[in-house]
Amino acid sequence: MEAFDVLGDPVRRRILELLADGEQTSGAITEVIQREFGISQPAVSLHLKVLRDNGFATVRAEGTRRLYAVDVRPLQEVDLWLDRFRQFWEQRLDALATELARGKRERRLKAEARSSTNDDTTPREKDKP
């Protein structure tokens, strides 16, 4: 099975998202996936098996529990494949970052101008003792 076939399924993508936060027990994964997707425990187990068999996840036994973790190697291969397309969105993201910085700078300058206007006020003659 190719990487994009594995990642094409929303349940498997969600499992990988959960594993990206750190090692998880099969029970914890199953609980979240059942709640979010309404599928059975055996169906979740099949998704975990697909991830394991295709190298996206590792499993280790700890007593009676099974702990799953992300294996980054296949994701690195996906990242390499995506690299040729990255240029299409990086320029737009750079432009967005520039506009956000410009807006933040303008808001800061306006706030500083308001602050300095308030600080420059001096007491009126009638306010003096």
Side-chain angles (χ1 to χ4, degrees):
M1 189 176 275
E2 288 192 29
F4 287 105
D5 293 329
V6 173
L7 297 174
D9 187 281
V11 173
R12 290 192 286 267
R13 285 194 311 270
R14 181 62 176 127
I15 291 171
L16 285 174
E17 289 171 359
L18 294 170
L19 295 177
D21 291 335
E23 197 173 50
Q24 302 274 332
T25 65
S26 57
I29 294 167
T30 299
E31 182 182 320
V32 171
I33 298 301
Q34 284 182 313
R35 184 177 63 245
E36 292 181 8
F37 292 91
I39 63 175
S40 67
Q41 183 275 325
V44 176
S45 292
L46 287 174
H47 285 291
L48 287 167
K49 181 178 178 357
V50 169
L51 290 170
R52 272 192 334 265
D53 290 350
N54 289 281
F56 284 86
T58 61
V59 64
R60 71 178 179 89
E62 188 178 84
T64 59
R65 299 180 334 155
R66 298 291 175 261
L67 295 162
Y68 285 83
V70 170
D71 188 336
V72 297
R73 288 174 293 174
L75 294 171
Q76 289 169 337
E77 292 172 18
V78 170
D79 186 52
L80 285 173
W81 186 86
L82 285 170
D83 198 42
R84 72 173 72 172
F85 302 101
R86 204 164 268 121
Q87 66 179 332
F88 297 114
W89 65 78
E90 282 184 344
Q91 291 172 345
R92 291 185 179 128
L93 290 175
D94 289 345
L96 175 61
T98 299
E99 289 303 315
L100 291 173
R102 183 177 292 136
K104 186 176 181 180
R105 181 176 179 269
E106 288 173 6
R107 285 190 302 277
R108 183 178 45 83
L109 291 173
K110 285 179 184 177
E112 288 173 359
R114 280 193 305 267
S115 176
S116 67
T117 302
N118 292 338
D119 291 344
D120 290 343
T121 58
T122 56
R124 290 178 273 162
E125 287 297 317
K126 68 177 187 174
D127 293 336
K128 291 183 179 177

